[in-house]
Amino acid sequence: MMTTHDHDLKKLKLQEKKLRSQKKRLMNELSIYRKVLESIRYNQSFEDVLRSVIDLAINGLGFDRAGIILLTEQGDAIEHVIGVDTQGRYEFSDKGFPCISKKSARWFSDLIHGYAQWGCGHENKKHVHEELGDQDLREKSFCSAQLPIKVDYFKTIGVLAADNLFTQRQIDRRDMQNLVHFAAQVGLAIESFRLYEKVTALTITDPLTGLHNRRYFEETLKIEFKRSVRHGLSMGLLYGDLDHFKAINDRWGHPVGDDVLRRVASTLRSSLRNIDIIARIGGEEFAFILPDTAMDKTRLIGDRLVQEVAFSHDSPQSVPITISLGAACFPETSEDLHELTLAADKSLYEAKNLGRNQLGPIHLRETTTL
Protein backbone atom coordinates (compact mmCIF):
# COMPACT_ATOMS: atom_id res chain seq x y z
CA MET A 1 0.00 0.00 0.00
CA MET A 2 1.41 3.41 -1.05
CA THR A 3 2.04 5.72 1.88
CA THR A 4 1.74 9.48 1.83
CA HIS A 5 5.51 9.70 1.73
CA ASP A 6 5.68 7.41 -1.32
CA HIS A 7 2.95 9.41 -3.03
CA ASP A 8 4.78 12.69 -2.38
CA LEU A 9 8.04 11.16 -3.61
CA LYS A 10 6.40 9.97 -6.83
CA LYS A 11 4.86 13.39 -7.32
CA LEU A 12 8.22 15.07 -6.85
CA LYS A 13 9.83 12.74 -9.37
CA LEU A 14 7.14 13.54 -11.92
CA GLN A 15 7.64 17.26 -11.32
CA GLU A 16 11.39 16.83 -11.62
CA LYS A 17 10.94 14.98 -14.91
CA LYS A 18 8.62 17.70 -16.17
CA LEU A 19 11.07 20.42 -15.16
CA ARG A 20 13.92 18.62 -16.92
CA SER A 21 11.79 18.37 -20.04
CA GLN A 22 10.93 22.07 -19.84
CA LYS A 23 14.57 22.98 -19.28
CA LYS A 24 15.63 20.93 -22.30
CA ARG A 25 12.96 22.58 -24.44
CA LEU A 26 13.92 26.05 -23.26
CA MET A 27 17.61 25.38 -23.90
CA ASN A 28 16.73 24.23 -27.41
CA GLU A 29 14.70 27.39 -27.99
CA LEU A 30 17.49 29.60 -26.66
CA SER A 31 19.90 27.81 -28.97
CA ILE A 32 17.63 28.51 -31.92
CA TYR A 33 17.30 32.21 -31.04
CA ARG A 34 21.06 32.50 -30.61
CA LYS A 35 21.56 30.97 -34.05
CA VAL A 36 19.12 33.48 -35.54
CA LEU A 37 21.25 36.34 -34.22
CA GLU A 38 24.47 34.61 -35.25
CA SER A 39 23.17 34.42 -38.81
CA ILE A 40 23.75 38.18 -39.03
CA ARG A 41 27.41 37.81 -38.15
CA TYR A 42 28.33 34.95 -40.44
CA ASN A 43 26.21 35.55 -43.55
CA GLN A 44 27.36 37.89 -46.28
CA SER A 45 24.05 38.67 -47.99
CA PHE A 46 20.48 39.40 -47.00
CA GLU A 47 19.30 36.29 -48.84
CA ASP A 48 21.73 34.18 -46.80
CA VAL A 49 20.28 35.60 -43.57
CA LEU A 50 16.74 34.74 -44.69
CA ARG A 51 17.79 31.24 -45.72
CA SER A 52 19.34 30.70 -42.28
CA VAL A 53 16.12 31.80 -40.62
CA ILE A 54 14.08 29.37 -42.71
CA ASP A 55 16.52 26.53 -41.99
CA LEU A 56 16.10 27.19 -38.25
CA ALA A 57 12.32 27.19 -38.54
CA ILE A 58 12.46 23.82 -40.29
CA ASN A 59 15.30 22.05 -38.49
CA GLY A 60 15.00 23.82 -35.13
CA LEU A 61 11.24 24.22 -34.64
CA GLY A 62 10.32 21.09 -36.56
CA PHE A 63 8.14 22.41 -39.37
CA ASP A 64 8.13 20.88 -42.84
CA ARG A 65 8.41 24.21 -44.63
CA ALA A 66 8.78 27.90 -43.86
CA GLY A 67 8.67 31.17 -45.73
CA ILE A 68 9.12 34.90 -45.22
CA ILE A 69 7.39 37.85 -46.87
CA LEU A 70 9.15 41.17 -46.24
CA LEU A 71 7.99 44.72 -46.81
CA THR A 72 9.94 47.67 -48.09
CA GLU A 73 11.08 50.10 -45.42
CA GLN A 74 8.16 52.36 -46.37
CA GLY A 75 5.79 49.45 -45.75
CA ASP A 76 3.81 49.98 -48.95
CA ALA A 77 5.05 47.03 -51.02
CA ILE A 78 6.36 43.48 -50.80
CA GLU A 79 10.14 43.61 -51.28
CA HIS A 80 11.38 40.05 -50.69
CA VAL A 81 9.72 36.64 -50.72
CA ILE A 82 11.69 33.54 -49.80
CA GLY A 83 10.57 30.07 -48.83
CA VAL A 84 10.46 26.35 -49.58
CA ASP A 85 8.21 25.17 -52.40
CA THR A 86 6.11 22.01 -52.58
CA GLN A 87 9.16 20.05 -53.77
CA GLY A 88 11.28 21.15 -50.82
CA ARG A 89 13.36 23.58 -52.90
CA TYR A 90 14.25 27.16 -52.03
CA GLU A 91 12.51 29.96 -53.92
CA PHE A 92 13.59 33.60 -53.70
CA SER A 93 12.14 36.69 -55.33
CA ASP A 94 12.98 40.37 -54.91
CA LYS A 95 10.45 41.61 -57.46
CA GLY A 96 8.31 43.99 -55.47
CA PHE A 97 4.57 44.40 -55.84
CA PRO A 98 2.08 46.65 -54.00
CA CYS A 99 0.71 45.58 -50.63
CA ILE A 100 -3.07 46.03 -50.70
CA SER A 101 -4.31 47.79 -47.57
CA LYS A 102 -7.98 46.85 -47.97
CA LYS A 103 -9.21 44.42 -45.32
CA SER A 104 -9.55 40.77 -46.44
CA ALA A 105 -7.75 41.51 -49.74
CA ARG A 106 -5.10 38.89 -48.99
CA TRP A 107 -4.32 36.89 -45.87
CA PHE A 108 -0.83 38.37 -45.51
CA SER A 109 -2.14 41.91 -46.09
CA ASP A 110 -4.47 41.50 -43.11
CA LEU A 111 -1.53 40.45 -40.95
CA ILE A 112 0.70 43.26 -42.20
CA HIS A 113 -1.90 45.98 -41.67
CA GLY A 114 -2.96 44.74 -38.24
CA TYR A 115 -6.43 43.48 -39.19
CA ALA A 116 -5.42 40.12 -37.74
CA GLN A 117 -2.83 38.87 -35.25
CA TRP A 118 -2.27 35.44 -36.72
CA GLY A 119 -3.42 33.12 -39.46
CA CYS A 120 -3.88 29.39 -39.90
CA GLY A 121 -4.78 26.99 -42.66
CA HIS A 122 -5.53 23.40 -43.54
CA GLU A 123 -5.60 21.77 -46.98
CA ASN A 124 -4.58 25.05 -48.64
CA LYS A 125 -7.41 27.04 -47.01
CA LYS A 126 -6.19 29.98 -44.96
CA HIS A 127 -8.03 31.99 -42.32
CA VAL A 128 -7.01 34.96 -40.20
CA HIS A 129 -7.87 35.58 -36.57
CA GLU A 130 -8.14 38.68 -34.46
CA GLU A 131 -6.48 37.19 -31.38
CA LEU A 132 -4.15 34.37 -30.50
CA GLY A 133 -6.29 32.55 -27.94
CA ASP A 134 -5.96 29.14 -26.32
CA GLN A 135 -9.58 28.33 -27.14
CA ASP A 136 -8.93 28.80 -30.87
CA LEU A 137 -5.96 26.46 -30.71
CA ARG A 138 -7.86 23.76 -28.84
CA GLU A 139 -10.87 23.81 -31.10
CA LYS A 140 -9.26 24.28 -34.52
CA SER A 141 -7.30 21.74 -36.50
CA PHE A 142 -4.69 23.15 -38.85
CA CYS A 143 -1.24 22.37 -40.20
CA SER A 144 -0.06 25.84 -41.34
CA ALA A 145 0.38 29.11 -39.51
CA GLN A 146 1.28 32.70 -40.34
CA LEU A 147 2.43 35.45 -37.98
CA PRO A 148 3.44 39.08 -38.49
CA ILE A 149 7.13 39.88 -38.02
CA LYS A 150 7.30 42.95 -35.79
CA VAL A 151 9.98 45.26 -34.43
CA ASP A 152 9.51 47.66 -31.52
CA TYR A 153 6.10 46.02 -30.91
CA PHE A 154 4.34 48.36 -33.33
CA LYS A 155 6.12 48.24 -36.68
CA THR A 156 5.32 45.24 -38.90
CA ILE A 157 8.06 44.47 -41.43
CA GLY A 158 6.73 41.21 -42.88
CA VAL A 159 5.11 37.84 -42.32
CA LEU A 160 6.56 34.51 -41.18
CA ALA A 161 4.76 31.41 -42.46
CA ALA A 162 5.31 27.76 -41.55
CA ASP A 163 3.46 24.55 -42.33
CA ASN A 164 3.56 20.77 -42.22
CA LEU A 165 2.55 20.11 -45.80
CA PHE A 166 4.40 16.82 -46.06
CA THR A 167 3.67 15.22 -42.67
CA GLN A 168 0.29 16.94 -42.08
CA ARG A 169 1.24 17.17 -38.40
CA GLN A 170 -1.21 19.40 -36.57
CA ILE A 171 0.12 22.63 -35.14
CA ASP A 172 -0.57 22.94 -31.42
CA ARG A 173 -0.41 25.68 -28.81
CA ARG A 174 3.27 25.08 -28.11
CA ASP A 175 4.11 25.37 -31.82
CA MET A 176 2.34 28.72 -31.99
CA GLN A 177 4.12 30.00 -28.89
CA ASN A 178 7.44 28.99 -30.42
CA LEU A 179 6.54 30.77 -33.65
CA VAL A 180 5.59 33.95 -31.79
CA HIS A 181 8.95 34.02 -29.99
CA PHE A 182 10.79 33.01 -33.14
CA ALA A 183 9.12 35.77 -35.20
CA ALA A 184 10.27 38.35 -32.64
CA GLN A 185 13.87 37.16 -32.97
CA VAL A 186 13.57 37.12 -36.75
CA GLY A 187 12.43 40.74 -36.71
CA LEU A 188 15.42 41.71 -34.59
CA ALA A 189 17.81 39.83 -36.87
CA ILE A 190 16.41 41.38 -40.05
CA GLU A 191 16.45 44.93 -38.69
CA SER A 192 19.98 44.45 -37.36
CA PHE A 193 21.22 43.22 -40.73
CA ARG A 194 19.53 46.08 -42.55
CA LEU A 195 21.20 48.54 -40.17
CA TYR A 196 24.53 46.81 -40.72
CA GLU A 197 24.11 47.14 -44.49
CA LYS A 198 23.32 50.86 -44.15
CA VAL A 199 26.38 51.49 -42.00
CA THR A 200 28.56 49.46 -44.36
CA ALA A 201 27.23 51.40 -47.35
CA LEU A 202 28.11 54.68 -45.66
CA THR A 203 31.73 53.58 -45.23
CA ILE A 204 32.18 52.66 -48.90
CA THR A 205 30.00 55.25 -50.64
CA ASP A 206 30.81 58.76 -51.79
CA PRO A 207 28.00 60.89 -50.29
CA LEU A 208 27.92 63.44 -53.12
CA THR A 209 27.63 61.15 -56.14
CA GLY A 210 26.48 57.85 -54.63
CA LEU A 211 29.41 56.10 -56.29
CA HIS A 212 31.87 53.93 -54.40
CA ASN A 213 34.66 55.82 -52.63
CA ARG A 214 38.44 55.47 -52.79
CA ARG A 215 38.56 53.00 -49.92
CA TYR A 216 36.18 50.61 -51.65
CA PHE A 217 37.96 51.03 -54.98
CA GLU A 218 41.40 50.21 -53.59
CA GLU A 219 40.19 47.12 -51.73
CA THR A 220 38.13 45.88 -54.67
CA LEU A 221 40.99 46.46 -57.12
CA LYS A 222 43.20 44.14 -55.07
CA ILE A 223 40.51 41.47 -54.99
CA GLU A 224 39.72 41.68 -58.71
CA PHE A 225 43.39 41.67 -59.66
CA LYS A 226 44.07 38.54 -57.58
CA ARG A 227 41.01 36.87 -59.11
CA SER A 228 42.21 37.72 -62.62
CA VAL A 229 45.67 36.32 -61.89
CA ARG A 230 44.30 33.16 -60.29
CA HIS A 231 41.88 32.35 -63.11
CA GLY A 232 43.90 33.71 -66.01
CA LEU A 233 41.36 36.43 -66.84
CA SER A 234 41.87 39.84 -68.42
CA MET A 235 41.10 43.03 -66.51
CA GLY A 236 40.82 46.65 -67.60
CA LEU A 237 41.61 49.67 -65.44
CA LEU A 238 40.58 53.25 -66.23
CA TYR A 239 41.41 56.52 -64.48
CA GLY A 240 39.36 59.61 -65.33
CA ASP A 241 39.55 63.34 -64.65
CA LEU A 242 36.99 66.02 -65.60
CA ASP A 243 38.62 68.63 -67.82
CA HIS A 244 38.96 72.20 -66.49
CA PHE A 245 36.70 71.40 -63.55
CA LYS A 246 38.46 73.88 -61.25
CA ALA A 247 37.42 76.70 -63.58
CA ILE A 248 33.75 75.74 -63.10
CA ASN A 249 34.08 75.88 -59.31
CA ASP A 250 35.98 79.15 -59.45
CA ARG A 251 33.53 80.87 -61.80
CA TRP A 252 30.12 79.55 -60.70
CA GLY A 253 30.81 78.21 -57.23
CA HIS A 254 30.92 74.80 -55.57
CA PRO A 255 27.14 74.13 -55.61
CA VAL A 256 27.24 74.25 -59.42
CA GLY A 257 30.37 72.09 -59.42
CA ASP A 258 28.69 69.56 -57.14
CA ASP A 259 25.71 69.36 -59.47
CA VAL A 260 28.04 68.74 -62.42
CA LEU A 261 29.76 65.92 -60.52
CA ARG A 262 26.44 64.27 -59.67
CA ARG A 263 25.19 64.42 -63.26
CA VAL A 264 28.45 63.15 -64.73
CA ALA A 265 28.59 60.33 -62.17
CA SER A 266 25.07 59.28 -63.17
CA THR A 267 26.03 59.26 -66.85
CA LEU A 268 29.18 57.22 -66.24
CA ARG A 269 27.37 54.68 -64.08
CA SER A 270 24.57 54.18 -66.60
CA SER A 271 27.11 53.69 -69.40
CA LEU A 272 28.82 50.73 -67.72
CA ARG A 273 27.95 47.07 -67.46
CA ASN A 274 26.62 45.52 -64.25
CA ILE A 275 29.94 43.80 -63.57
CA ASP A 276 31.98 47.01 -63.87
CA ILE A 277 32.97 49.02 -60.79
CA ILE A 278 33.12 52.81 -60.70
CA ALA A 279 34.36 55.01 -57.86
CA ARG A 280 34.99 58.66 -57.17
CA ILE A 281 38.53 58.71 -55.81
CA GLY A 282 39.11 62.46 -55.59
CA GLY A 283 37.51 65.85 -56.24
CA GLU A 284 36.85 65.38 -59.96
CA GLU A 285 38.69 62.07 -60.30
CA PHE A 286 37.05 58.76 -61.15
CA ALA A 287 38.33 55.19 -61.40
CA PHE A 288 36.89 52.16 -63.17
CA ILE A 289 37.56 48.43 -62.77
CA LEU A 290 36.52 46.33 -65.76
CA PRO A 291 36.55 42.64 -64.75
CA ASP A 292 36.95 39.95 -67.42
CA THR A 293 37.66 42.62 -70.00
CA ALA A 294 40.29 42.27 -72.72
CA MET A 295 42.35 45.19 -74.03
CA ASP A 296 40.24 45.89 -77.13
CA LYS A 297 37.04 45.91 -75.08
CA THR A 298 38.66 48.20 -72.51
CA ARG A 299 39.46 50.70 -75.23
CA LEU A 300 35.90 50.54 -76.58
CA ILE A 301 34.44 51.15 -73.12
CA GLY A 302 36.84 54.05 -72.50
CA ASP A 303 36.00 55.71 -75.80
CA ARG A 304 32.29 55.32 -75.14
CA LEU A 305 32.57 56.93 -71.70
CA VAL A 306 34.40 59.94 -73.15
CA GLN A 307 31.72 60.37 -75.80
CA GLU A 308 28.80 59.95 -73.37
CA VAL A 309 30.09 62.68 -71.06
CA ALA A 310 30.83 65.09 -73.93
CA PHE A 311 27.45 64.57 -75.57
CA SER A 312 25.39 64.67 -72.40
CA HIS A 313 26.57 67.61 -70.35
CA ASP A 314 27.11 71.35 -70.43
CA SER A 315 28.00 73.62 -67.54
CA PRO A 316 26.37 77.05 -67.04
CA GLN A 317 26.77 79.38 -70.02
CA SER A 318 26.90 76.21 -72.20
CA VAL A 319 30.54 75.49 -71.47
CA PRO A 320 31.09 71.81 -72.49
CA ILE A 321 31.88 69.25 -69.80
CA THR A 322 34.41 66.65 -70.94
CA ILE A 323 36.47 63.92 -69.37
CA SER A 324 39.95 62.57 -70.05
CA LEU A 325 40.64 58.89 -69.40
CA GLY A 326 43.75 56.80 -68.98
CA ALA A 327 43.77 53.03 -69.48
CA ALA A 328 45.82 49.97 -68.59
CA CYS A 329 45.15 46.27 -69.01
CA PHE A 330 46.14 43.07 -67.28
CA PRO A 331 48.13 41.19 -68.49
CA GLU A 332 49.10 43.24 -71.57
CA THR A 333 50.29 46.35 -69.71
CA SER A 334 51.73 44.66 -66.64
CA GLU A 335 51.36 41.62 -64.42
CA ASP A 336 52.06 43.72 -61.32
CA LEU A 337 49.21 45.68 -59.73
CA HIS A 338 51.31 48.68 -58.72
CA GLU A 339 52.78 48.98 -62.21
CA LEU A 340 49.28 48.63 -63.68
CA THR A 341 48.00 51.62 -61.69
CA LEU A 342 51.04 53.68 -62.65
CA ALA A 343 50.46 52.86 -66.32
CA ALA A 344 46.80 53.92 -66.14
CA ASP A 345 47.83 57.17 -64.45
CA LYS A 346 50.47 57.79 -67.12
CA SER A 347 47.91 57.17 -69.85
CA LEU A 348 45.61 59.75 -68.26
CA TYR A 349 48.43 62.31 -68.12
CA GLU A 350 49.12 61.73 -71.82
CA ALA A 351 45.42 62.12 -72.68
CA LYS A 352 45.46 65.57 -71.12
CA ASN A 353 48.67 66.54 -72.90
CA LEU A 354 47.16 65.41 -76.21
CA GLY A 355 44.29 67.87 -75.85
CA ARG A 356 41.89 66.33 -73.29
CA ASN A 357 38.43 64.90 -73.99
CA GLN A 358 39.88 61.55 -75.06
CA LEU A 359 41.21 58.17 -73.96
CA GLY A 360 44.96 58.01 -73.56
CA PRO A 361 47.15 55.32 -75.17
CA ILE A 362 47.32 51.85 -73.64
CA HIS A 363 50.96 50.95 -73.05
CA LEU A 364 52.16 47.38 -73.47
CA ARG A 365 54.97 45.69 -71.59
CA GLU A 366 57.11 45.76 -74.73
CA THR A 367 57.04 49.60 -74.50
CA THR A 368 54.93 49.88 -77.66
CA THR A 369 51.53 51.55 -77.57
CA LEU A 370 48.15 51.12 -79.17
Side-chain angles (χ1 to χ4, degrees):
M1 182 175 180
M2 182 177 292
T3 64
T4 303
H5 175 74
D6 292 336
H7 179 76
D8 290 342
L9 184 62
K10 182 178 180 180
K11 186 177 180 180
L12 286 172
K13 288 182 177 178
L14 288 174
Q15 289 177 342
E16 182 182 4
K17 183 178 180 181
K18 183 178 180 180
L19 286 172
R20 283 199 301 267
S21 176
Q22 290 177 343
K23 180 181 178 181
K24 183 178 180 181
R25 185 174 63 248
L26 287 172
M27 293 299 292
N28 180 58
E29 291 174 7
L30 287 173
S31 175
I32 293 172
Y33 303 150
R34 185 180 68 251
K35 289 176 180 177
V36 171
L37 296 177
E38 286 177 350
S39 68
I40 304 170
R41 186 184 311 167
Y42 298 114
N43 289 301
Q44 299 299 313
S45 71
F46 195 40
E47 183 180 348
D48 289 337
V49 171
L50 299 182
R51 281 176 176 265
S52 295
V53 168
I54 290 173
D55 285 342
L56 289 169
I58 295 172
N59 299 319
L61 298 181
F63 292 98
D64 291 353
R65 302 190 308 162
I68 295 173
I69 298 173
L70 286 182
L71 300 176
T72 60
E73 291 196 36
Q74 294 75 23
D76 58 351
I78 304 298
E79 183 177 36
H80 298 289
V81 179
I82 185 170
V84 177
D85 65 14
T86 57
Q87 305 299 318
R89 299 169 302 192
Y90 273 106
E91 289 186 326
F92 178 79
S93 174
D94 56 2
K95 296 180 179 179
F97 56 90
C99 183
I100 301 173
S101 59
K102 183 180 178 181
K103 188 173 182 179
S104 301
R106 292 193 178 100
W107 62 267
F108 59 81
S109 293
D110 283 359
L111 293 172
I112 287 169
H113 293 291
Y115 299 133
Q117 292 188 8
W118 63 291
C120 67
H122 186 67
E123 295 179 351
N124 297 323
K125 295 180 181 179
K126 292 183 173 62
H127 311 278
V128 292
H129 301 267
E130 300 295 332
E131 298 179 358
L132 181 58
D134 291 349
Q135 189 67 24
D136 290 315
L137 293 171
R138 284 195 295 268
E139 293 179 353
K140 296 182 184 299
S141 173
F142 55 93
C143 61
S144 69
Q146 306 85 36
L147 289 168
I149 301 172
K150 292 179 176 289
V151 293
D152 300 328
Y153 298 102
F154 303 108
K155 180 183 177 183
T156 299
I157 63 171
V159 172
L160 171 68
D163 68 26
N164 292 317
L165 176 70
F166 307 130
T167 62
Q168 290 294 298
R169 180 180 69 82
Q170 300 302 303
I171 293 175
D172 58 21
R173 178 174 176 271
R174 187 66 196 177
D175 290 325
M176 289 300 293
Q177 289 177 336
N178 286 339
L179 273 179
V180 169
H181 296 150
F182 186 69
Q185 295 298 317
V186 170
L188 177 61
I190 289 172
E191 285 296 281
S192 297
F193 192 83
R194 281 175 166 172
L195 178 61
Y196 166 78
E197 285 190 319
K198 287 181 180 178
V199 172
T200 300
L202 288 174
T203 65
I204 64 173
T205 303
D206 171 51
L208 177 63
T209 63
L211 301 179
H212 294 303
N213 58 18
R214 176 183 283 274
R215 173 186 174 186
Y216 180 86
F217 167 75
E218 291 177 346
E219 292 299 318
T220 305
L221 180 59
K222 294 175 185 176
I223 293 171
E224 287 297 329
F225 184 79
K226 289 179 180 178
R227 187 178 74 89
S228 298
V229 172
R230 183 167 61 251
H231 297 291
L233 302 172
S234 298
M235 186 189 79
L237 176 65
L238 300 174
Y239 283 158
D241 197 2
L242 292 186
D243 299 324
H244 305 297
F245 182 73
K246 185 177 182 300
I248 296 174
N249 276 336
D250 291 343
R251 184 170 181 181
W252 289 288
H254 288 282
V256 172
D258 289 347
D259 183 62
V260 169
L261 285 171
R262 281 190 289 264
R263 290 188 289 120
V264 169
S266 177
T267 297
L268 292 171
R269 181 166 44 202
S270 63
S271 302
L272 293 169
R273 305 165 300 177
N274 290 335
I275 64 170
D276 299 329
I277 297 134
I278 177 176
R280 181 186 176 209
I281 60 173
E284 68 272 25
E285 301 171 10
F286 299 90
F288 312 79
I289 304 171
L290 311 177
D292 306 343
T293 306
M295 185 172 59
D296 290 344
K297 185 68 173 179
T298 297
R299 172 167 286 283
L300 288 174
I301 292 174
D303 286 335
R304 184 176 72 243
L305 293 175
V306 169
Q307 293 171 10
E308 289 291 337
V309 171
F311 293 159
S312 303
H313 299 286
D314 288 327
S315 67
Q317 309 302 320
S318 298
V319 176
I321 301 296
T322 60
I323 191 171
S324 298
L325 292 175
C329 297
F330 170 83
E332 291 86 354
T333 300
S334 176
E335 294 184 350
D336 177 81
L337 180 57
H338 179 64
E339 291 181 359
L340 195 71
T341 59
L342 292 178
D345 196 54
K346 179 182 178 182
S347 177
L348 172 59
Y349 180 78
E350 292 176 349
K352 286 186 170 292
N353 283 341
L354 290 170
R356 295 183 169 83
N357 189 27
Q358 61 184 282
L359 176 69
I362 299 177
H363 292 270
L364 305 181
R365 281 180 290 176
E366 294 79 11
T367 69
T368 59
T369 61
L370 290 181

